[in-house]
Amino acid sequence: MKPILIIAPHKKIERLSKDIAKRYDDVEVQLGLLDEAVRIAKKSEKQGVEVIISRGGTARKIEKLLPTMPVIEIPVSPYDMLDAISEAKKIGKNIVVLGFENIIHDVEKAGPILDIDLRTYNIENQQDAERYLRELIDSGKKIDVLLGGTVAEKLASKYNIPTILLNTGIKTIEDSIKAARRLVEVRQKEKEKTEQFKAILHYINEGVISVDNQGIITTFNSAAEKILGISDRDIVGKPIKKFIPDTKLIKVMKKNKAELGQIIQMEKIQILANRVPIVVKDKVVGAVATFQDITKIQEYEQRIRSKLLDKGYVSKYNFFHIKGKSKKILEAKAKAIKYASTDSTVLITGESGTGKEMFAQSIHSESERKRGPFVAVNCAAIPKNLLESELFGYEEGAFTGASKKGKTGLFVQAHGGTIFLDEIGEISTELQARLLRVVQEREVRPIGSNRVIPIDVRIISATNKNLLVEVQKGNFRRDLYYRLNILKLHIPTLAERKEDIKLLSEHFIDRFSHKYVKNIKISNNALKELEKYHWPGNIRELENVIESLVVLAHDMITAAEVREMIKEHEVDEGGNPDTLEEVKRRHIFKILSECKGNQTMAADRLGISRTHLWRILKKYQN
């Protein structure tokens, strides 16, 4: 059904209401008087009606017998009353008004003004009306016309007395519909708020109990059910003392003072509780308690710590991301896949830019430790005096400048996963001795601590040096070398796998075209130029060259553009790559890259005009 129902107590009001309701898509009209109207109202409530509009005694009866349903009463306006009296006066001056108090209130005051004998009788039902009418007839008082609603109309017919219906005007009905629509809107908003509150109440992790000012439980959410093991059906509407004899909620109400952070023993569990009085207009009307199982709090704390430790320590690559069809790269991938199925220490060798970390991440991603953290450490990038504290951590006040809270080392943060020690050949011999113990014993002692922390980590290390030569030179410990070199994996240079240059180039072109919102292709001759070059910087250098080409190209990368770009990247032995012009060129391309190829934005950041930037790029291109 529609949300608004007009229950008209008279056929004339029904017809008028139906004509008006045609202009509204949310209003229905039915005929019903008193008991029949109540029956209709009860049925309509179950069918989704939200507001009922009715008149007189019918409206009052629905309101009384159906308190959950909002009722808008159609008033009898002074104009409607005067109009009915004016019609009645045409029949005679002795007018009797039979009606419900809400309709005939103060009507008799109009008698002297209109020069008529106007008697009004307030009725509660049809029996009242008939009793008043019989008394008038028996007393011999003259009745020219009976004025009222459906009840008056029925009695007039029974006693053969002329009657005038106390009608309702169009505007009055329309005003009632507008009031009902406003009420529907308010109720809808209240429903939304209630549903939001219910969702919050029943899906938060904290238990919630509220009581009224008599100590009767009014709210008991799902979390409270789980923590206390009591169903809300068994507890809501009952005194809280029956279930929690020593409850402090009554005390909180009496004192009108909150109690926060209280630890309470309840049978076999400890809970952390907060109790707050509920105050409305300076009057305490109840209290609410929120509480949590302390063991659950400890579990959540552990999870949070774990998440904080793992933040940023995830592997981004797997073997799918390693592109190439050459024999050497396929052999390296096959060996790495076998290594992933074990938990042994791996040493990855290869020149800078060959993709050693990508292989390390792929091994981790395919291993049993893939759900654990992947912690990558570039041993060459961290100052030697800080590397030890980064790897092993330190206690509070371990050295000058140490954090007051201490620091968790990277080995501990890698617990349950993999630690990748890149550029392992760069660490000092002193630190190598400490690292050897960690590799052997799988335990860490933070700087300044006398405690030992057991760790469960897989160690993958990488280097671009020949560690055996470094051992012979005395730069690397022999015992550590053999501990790290259990499973060895060598990554070929790009010069050793030139047949992969085409595949890699096209892969990078697609990636950077997407990044800079361009559609760039590369000619066959340009690919041949790329294959001719010896690529001392390996895949990393190829990636940088392709990015620069994509930024500068309009649609097709040509062989001439490739030759020029390689010439700029190539540095002769003994040459200086950090000339002023080279630094300037690299800075411009860096800004252009950050601006995703947008020359207007890049020029603005560089503090030059777009035309000036275009000329500089043209010079680099020619």
Tab-separated table of all heavy atoms in Angstrom, residues 538-557:
chain	number	residue	atom	x	y	z
A	538	ASN	N	72.446	-2.690	-17.966
A	538	ASN	CA	71.502	-3.812	-18.032
A	538	ASN	C	70.041	-3.358	-18.140
A	538	ASN	O	69.771	-2.325	-18.741
A	538	ASN	CB	71.723	-4.742	-16.827
A	538	ASN	CG	73.081	-5.418	-16.919
A	538	ASN	OD1	73.315	-6.234	-17.810
A	538	ASN	ND2	74.009	-5.049	-16.011
A	539	ILE	N	69.124	-4.115	-17.530
A	539	ILE	CA	67.683	-3.856	-17.717
A	539	ILE	C	67.294	-2.493	-17.160
A	539	ILE	O	66.452	-1.797	-17.720
A	539	ILE	CB	66.842	-4.966	-17.053
A	539	ILE	CG1	67.132	-6.305	-17.727
A	539	ILE	CG2	65.348	-4.662	-17.149
A	539	ILE	CD1	66.488	-7.488	-17.076
A	540	ARG	N	67.923	-2.087	-16.073
A	540	ARG	CA	67.601	-0.784	-15.493
A	540	ARG	C	67.909	0.339	-16.478
A	540	ARG	O	67.141	1.295	-16.612
A	540	ARG	CB	68.385	-0.580	-14.193
A	540	ARG	CG	67.933	0.668	-13.425
A	540	ARG	CD	68.703	0.840	-12.136
A	540	ARG	NE	68.438	-0.230	-11.197
A	540	ARG	CZ	69.366	-1.011	-10.658
A	540	ARG	NH1	70.643	-0.828	-10.961
A	540	ARG	NH2	69.050	-1.959	-9.797
A	541	GLU	N	69.022	0.215	-17.190
A	541	GLU	CA	69.380	1.230	-18.177
A	541	GLU	C	68.406	1.207	-19.338
A	541	GLU	O	67.969	2.266	-19.819
A	541	GLU	CB	70.811	1.000	-18.674
A	541	GLU	CG	71.282	2.099	-19.635
A	541	GLU	CD	72.680	1.860	-20.175
A	541	GLU	OE1	73.246	0.768	-19.930
A	541	GLU	OE2	73.196	2.759	-20.869
A	542	LEU	N	68.034	0.003	-19.795
A	542	LEU	CA	67.057	-0.113	-20.888
A	542	LEU	C	65.734	0.537	-20.477
A	542	LEU	O	65.127	1.274	-21.264
A	542	LEU	CB	66.838	-1.586	-21.236
A	542	LEU	CG	65.734	-1.874	-22.268
A	542	LEU	CD1	66.084	-1.258	-23.626
A	542	LEU	CD2	65.505	-3.372	-22.416
A	543	GLU	N	65.300	0.292	-19.274
A	543	GLU	CA	64.043	0.864	-18.771
A	543	GLU	C	64.102	2.392	-18.783
A	543	GLU	O	63.153	3.059	-19.217
A	543	GLU	CB	63.778	0.347	-17.351
A	543	GLU	CG	62.462	0.806	-16.762
A	543	GLU	CD	62.236	0.251	-15.364
A	543	GLU	OE1	63.172	-0.353	-14.798
A	543	GLU	OE2	61.121	0.426	-14.832
A	544	ASN	N	65.228	2.962	-18.341
A	544	ASN	CA	65.373	4.419	-18.322
A	544	ASN	C	65.372	5.017	-19.716
A	544	ASN	O	64.769	6.072	-19.973
A	544	ASN	CB	66.662	4.805	-17.593
A	544	ASN	CG	66.607	4.492	-16.104
A	544	ASN	OD1	65.532	4.298	-15.556
A	544	ASN	ND2	67.766	4.417	-15.467
A	545	VAL	N	66.062	4.334	-20.642
A	545	VAL	CA	66.113	4.809	-22.032
A	545	VAL	C	64.714	4.797	-22.638
A	545	VAL	O	64.294	5.762	-23.298
A	545	VAL	CB	67.088	3.943	-22.860
A	545	VAL	CG1	66.889	4.192	-24.356
A	545	VAL	CG2	68.531	4.237	-22.479
A	546	ILE	N	63.976	3.700	-22.433
A	546	ILE	CA	62.628	3.587	-23.001
A	546	ILE	C	61.715	4.668	-22.420
A	546	ILE	O	60.931	5.292	-23.146
A	546	ILE	CB	62.031	2.187	-22.732
A	546	ILE	CG1	62.824	1.099	-23.480
A	546	ILE	CG2	60.558	2.141	-23.144
A	546	ILE	CD1	62.796	1.206	-24.990
A	547	GLU	N	61.806	4.939	-21.122
A	547	GLU	CA	60.965	5.971	-20.522
A	547	GLU	C	61.241	7.329	-21.160
A	547	GLU	O	60.303	8.071	-21.501
A	547	GLU	CB	61.170	6.051	-19.010
A	547	GLU	CG	60.270	7.106	-18.363
A	547	GLU	CD	60.282	7.075	-16.847
A	547	GLU	OE1	61.127	6.366	-16.269
A	547	GLU	OE2	59.440	7.760	-16.238
A	548	SER	N	62.516	7.659	-21.351
A	548	SER	CA	62.866	8.935	-21.990
A	548	SER	C	62.329	8.999	-23.412
A	548	SER	O	61.805	10.032	-23.845
A	548	SER	CB	64.391	9.102	-22.003
A	548	SER	OG	64.897	9.161	-20.687
A	549	LEU	N	62.434	7.888	-24.141
A	549	LEU	CA	61.941	7.856	-25.534
A	549	LEU	C	60.427	8.044	-25.583
A	549	LEU	O	59.919	8.762	-26.449
A	549	LEU	CB	62.339	6.526	-26.198
A	549	LEU	CG	63.833	6.365	-26.525
A	549	LEU	CD1	64.142	4.912	-26.873
A	549	LEU	CD2	64.246	7.279	-27.691
A	550	VAL	N	59.713	7.403	-24.671
A	550	VAL	CA	58.249	7.522	-24.651
A	550	VAL	C	57.834	8.954	-24.324
A	550	VAL	O	56.902	9.502	-24.928
A	550	VAL	CB	57.632	6.527	-23.637
A	550	VAL	CG1	56.149	6.828	-23.409
A	550	VAL	CG2	57.803	5.099	-24.118
A	551	VAL	N	58.510	9.580	-23.372
A	551	VAL	CA	58.185	10.964	-22.998
A	551	VAL	C	58.340	11.898	-24.189
A	551	VAL	O	57.510	12.777	-24.441
A	551	VAL	CB	59.084	11.428	-21.831
A	551	VAL	CG1	58.980	12.941	-21.636
A	551	VAL	CG2	58.687	10.712	-20.537
A	552	LEU	N	59.412	11.705	-24.997
A	552	LEU	CA	59.710	12.616	-26.101
A	552	LEU	C	58.969	12.272	-27.388
A	552	LEU	O	58.730	13.157	-28.217
A	552	LEU	CB	61.221	12.612	-26.377
A	552	LEU	CG	62.080	13.255	-25.267
A	552	LEU	CD1	63.554	12.990	-25.529
A	552	LEU	CD2	61.818	14.751	-25.172
A	553	ALA	N	58.606	11.012	-27.570
A	553	ALA	CA	57.994	10.590	-28.846
A	553	ALA	C	56.572	11.098	-28.977
A	553	ALA	O	55.873	11.313	-27.985
A	553	ALA	CB	58.022	9.063	-28.941
A	554	HIS	N	56.161	11.279	-30.263
A	554	HIS	CA	54.782	11.673	-30.552
A	554	HIS	C	53.914	10.452	-30.784
A	554	HIS	O	52.824	10.339	-30.240
A	554	HIS	CB	54.727	12.612	-31.753
A	554	HIS	CG	55.401	13.924	-31.492
A	554	HIS	ND1	54.927	14.839	-30.593
A	554	HIS	CD2	56.553	14.459	-32.002
A	554	HIS	CE1	55.723	15.909	-30.561
A	554	HIS	NE2	56.723	15.688	-31.403
A	555	ASP	N	54.383	9.533	-31.622
A	555	ASP	CA	53.626	8.307	-31.866
A	555	ASP	C	54.537	7.107	-32.127
A	555	ASP	O	54.296	6.013	-31.652
A	555	ASP	CB	52.646	8.493	-33.023
A	555	ASP	CG	53.299	9.124	-34.250
A	555	ASP	OD1	54.546	9.133	-34.348
A	555	ASP	OD2	52.551	9.612	-35.104
A	556	MET	N	55.643	7.328	-32.890
A	556	MET	CA	56.535	6.229	-33.263
A	556	MET	C	57.981	6.545	-32.855
A	556	MET	O	58.494	7.622	-33.139
A	556	MET	CB	56.477	5.990	-34.782
A	556	MET	CG	57.403	4.890	-35.293
A	556	MET	SD	56.867	3.238	-34.792
A	556	MET	CE	55.401	3.026	-35.833
A	557	ILE	N	58.611	5.601	-32.147
A	557	ILE	CA	60.020	5.754	-31.780
A	557	ILE	C	60.873	5.313	-32.973
A	557	ILE	O	60.734	4.184	-33.458
A	557	ILE	CB	60.364	4.908	-30.534
A	557	ILE	CG1	59.548	5.408	-29.329
A	557	ILE	CG2	61.853	4.973	-30.233
A	557	ILE	CD1	59.658	4.511	-28.115
